[in-house]
């Protein structure tokens, strides 16, 4: 059955927004994306060469959602004729008694996703760059890897454009107003546009655009550094070095991504709360010293030389679950937000869910975990 084309605005064309634009444009809707900066900018949350993709979650719901997300990433790779997922495998490292590891194993078990448990000897013989501490073990899952995040956003936009998607870059949306049966979108430059539906995927700026909702979102500045390999750099290539998450110290990292010189490593601990319009992009020596302390224990084959350092924003909810919901008192407007530092791997699915929510299509999904009501 042919769909009635709707005029739909997507506010914020980052990871989630670009995905929503692609699904909507492919379904035949007239889609306009409003983006405050330019695609590929470094002020939000989706820029850079890598984001971990994995089934390994200490939470069955996310592991199940990743089954759908993996298939959608493969679809994007096919439609864009681009390799976006580097399937280098992944390690979840931590104390054997750690609840995170136990829950992760049980979620994998329940969803019948194969994984391998490794002790110190098994880990070091297969992946020689890593060290385990006494009393720890690792879970290895071969479908883990990383997404080339900036390229994923660009691929969504490119495919969407093939279906008539209109992108307005450097266009900051300041107001959304219900206007009879339509929604009026107002921009900083004085533009006014009417739409049948609006999806808000504004990342770190969500709280500002929908200030009347008083969303409990914390925007934090996260730091990332790359370190040069000390000698044997081959042991950090994707075929011998998986992505990894260290639950003991709350650190994670990647193999050589082939673009930025060095090996990426970062802390998942939330940084300072910031105003997204005024973010200091420098990485301080105290943070670097802490990373070097962890790498000395985990990855002694990395040198102390920082080859690149950058920052990025987390937008987190108190429970670290996403927000996917309709905006109360604004018929036709929905939002996806609060990706809480682990959302990129889901953005393809989140964009699809937002597009279904806006158009009233798709199968019925159980989304109560992600509702706004949970904050009341
Ligand atoms: C250091 C770091 C490491 C991470 N690692 C991982 C990982 O390994 N795996 C993983 O799955 N996730 C990871 N994440 C999280 C993931 O990157 C984010 O959850 C995801 O990118 C969020 O996407 P988004 O679409 O919500 O936000 P964004 O991609 O930031 O998109 C929001 C967009 O909205 C635009 N915008 C905002 N307000 C307006 C407005 N008023 N008008 C017009 N445009 C507007 C912004 O300019 C921006 O482009 C990491 C995040 C960081 C910072």
């Amino acid at each position: 059955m042919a769909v009635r084309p709707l005029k739909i605005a997507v506010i914020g064309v980052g990871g989630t927004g670009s995905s929503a634009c692609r699904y909507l444009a492919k379904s035949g809707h007239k889609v306009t994306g409003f983006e405050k900066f330019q695609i590929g900018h470094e002020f939000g949350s989706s820029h850079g060469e890598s984001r971990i993709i994995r089934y390994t979650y200490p939470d069955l719901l996310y592991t199940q959602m990743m089954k759908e997300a993996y298939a959608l990433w493969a679809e994007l790779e096919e439609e864009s004729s681009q390799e976006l997922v580097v399937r280098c495998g992944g390690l979840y490292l931590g104390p054997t008694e750690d609840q995170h590891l136990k829950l992760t194993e049980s979620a994998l078990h329940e969803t019948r996703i194969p994984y391998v448990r490794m002790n110190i000897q098994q880990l070091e013989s297969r992946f020689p760059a890593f060290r385990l501490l006494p009393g720890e073990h690792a879970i290895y899952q071969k479908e883990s890897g990383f997404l080339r995040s900036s390229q994923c956003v660009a691929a969504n936009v490119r495919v969407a454009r093939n279906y008539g998607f209109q992108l307005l870059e450097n266009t900051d949306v300041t107001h959304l107003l219900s206007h009879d049966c339509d929604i009026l979108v107002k921009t900083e430059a004085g533009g006014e546009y009417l739409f049948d539906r609006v999806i808000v995927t504004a990342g770190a700026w969500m709280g500002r655009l929908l200030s009347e909702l008083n969303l409990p979102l914390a925007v934090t500045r996260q730091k990332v550094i790359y370190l040069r390999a000390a000698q044997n750099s081959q042991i950090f290539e994707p075929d011998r070095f998986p992505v990894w998450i260290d639950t003991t110290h709350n650190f994670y990292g990647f193999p050589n991504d082939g673009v930025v010189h060095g090996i990426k490593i970062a802390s998942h601990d939330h940084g300072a709360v910031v105003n997204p319009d005024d973010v200091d992009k420098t990485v301080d020596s105290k943070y670097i010293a802490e990373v070097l302390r962890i790498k000395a224990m985990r990855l002694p084959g990395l040198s102390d030389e920082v080859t690149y350092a950058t920052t990025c924003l987390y937008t987190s909810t108190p429970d670290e679950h996403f927000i996917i919901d309709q905006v109360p008192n604004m018929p036709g407007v929905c939002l996806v937000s609060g990706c809480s530092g682990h959302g990129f791997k889901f953005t393809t699915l989140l964009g699809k869910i937002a597009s279904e929510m806006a158009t009233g299509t798709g199968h019925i999904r159980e989304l109560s975990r992600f509702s706004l009501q949970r904050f009341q």
Side-chain angles (χ1 to χ4, degrees), residues 86-89 126-128 140 233-242 255-256:
V86 179
R87 294 166 179 82
C88 55
R126 177 124 182 229
F127 303 117
Y140 174 70
S233 61
Q234 292 97 316
I235 61 171
F236 296 103
E237 291 300 316
D239 57 340
R240 300 188 71 190
F241 190 85
N256 178 12

Side-chain angles (χ1 to χ4, degrees), residues 12 16 35-36 41 45-46 51-52 172-173 312 339 344-345:
T16 309
E35 172 50 54
K36 190 177 166 70
H41 71 85
S45 306
S46 298
R51 294 290 185 278
I52 292 178
D172 194 357
V173 172
C312 179
C339 284
F344 197 86
K345 66 185 82 56

Side-chain angles (χ1 to χ4, degrees), residues 16-256:
T16 309
S18 64
S19 160
C21 292
R22 173 170 144 263
Y23 288 112
L24 291 166
K26 271 174 56 180
S27 305
H29 298 289
K30 268 185 76 81
V31 190
T32 304
F34 293 82
E35 172 50 54
K36 190 177 166 70
F37 302 106
Q38 285 185 304
I39 300 302
H41 71 85
E42 303 206 334
F43 307 109
S45 306
S46 298
H47 56 282
E49 298 308 320
S50 52
R51 294 290 185 278
I52 292 178
I53 179 167
R54 59 186 156 104
Y55 288 116
T56 47
Y57 258 87
D59 188 322
L60 183 61
L61 177 64
Y62 288 110
T63 304
Q64 286 167 333
M65 285 169 71
M66 279 312 299
K67 283 200 158 183
E68 190 174 352
Y70 265 102
L72 298 177
W73 285 117
E75 197 179 278
L76 177 60
E77 285 187 302
E78 198 176 316
E79 288 175 19
S80 62
S81 307
Q82 217 180 335
E83 195 208 40
L84 300 167
V85 187
V86 179
R87 294 166 179 82
C88 55
L91 289 168
Y92 219 66
L93 317 161
T96 301
E97 291 312 311
D98 186 305
Q99 206 46 21
H100 254 72
L101 262 67
K102 286 186 175 167
L103 290 170
T104 301
E105 287 195 53
S106 96
L108 291 172
H109 192 70
E110 204 154 323
T111 44
R112 295 171 189 269
I113 294 166
Y115 66 94
V116 180
R117 227 168 192 262
M118 290 181 178
N119 62 25
I120 296 185
Q121 291 76 23
Q122 290 159 332
L123 181 82
E124 291 181 11
S125 72
R126 177 124 182 229
F127 303 117
F130 284 99
R131 296 289 174 273
L132 277 182
L133 307 175
E136 290 184 327
H137 81 273
I139 296 170
Y140 174 70
Q141 210 290 314
K142 69 175 171 23
E143 274 109 351
S144 298
F146 65 93
L147 290 153
R148 296 196 178 277
S149 45
S150 284
Q151 293 188 37
C152 293
V153 176
N156 272 320
V157 169
R158 216 172 41 251
V159 173
R161 276 185 157 142
N162 293 339
Y163 293 91
F165 164 60
Q166 187 194 17
L167 173 64
L168 301 179
E169 290 175 291
N170 302 312
T171 307
D172 194 357
V173 172
T174 50
H175 295 92
L176 299 177
L177 303 166
S178 285
H179 188 272
D180 297 331
C181 291
D182 298 322
I183 305 119
L184 179 67
V185 171
K186 288 182 156 197
T187 69
E188 193 179 32
E192 297 197 352
Y193 307 79
L194 282 176
F195 291 95
D196 301 311
R197 306 278 191 278
V198 172
I199 296 174
V200 191
T201 46
W205 290 266
M206 186 62 94
R208 179 168 315 167
L209 189 56
L210 297 176
S211 56
E212 64 284 1
L213 296 185
N214 282 320
L215 296 169
L217 294 172
V219 176
T220 56
R221 187 176 89 101
Q222 304 300 133
K223 304 167 210 170
V224 167
I225 65 171
Y226 283 66
L227 296 173
R228 192 177 58 75
Q231 304 121 7
N232 185 5
S233 61
Q234 292 97 316
I235 61 171
F236 296 103
E237 291 300 316
D239 57 340
R240 300 188 71 190
F241 190 85
V243 296
W244 56 278
I245 295 176
D246 169 346
T247 66
T248 310
H249 305 101
N250 217 14
F251 268 69
Y252 63 94
F254 299 80
N256 178 12

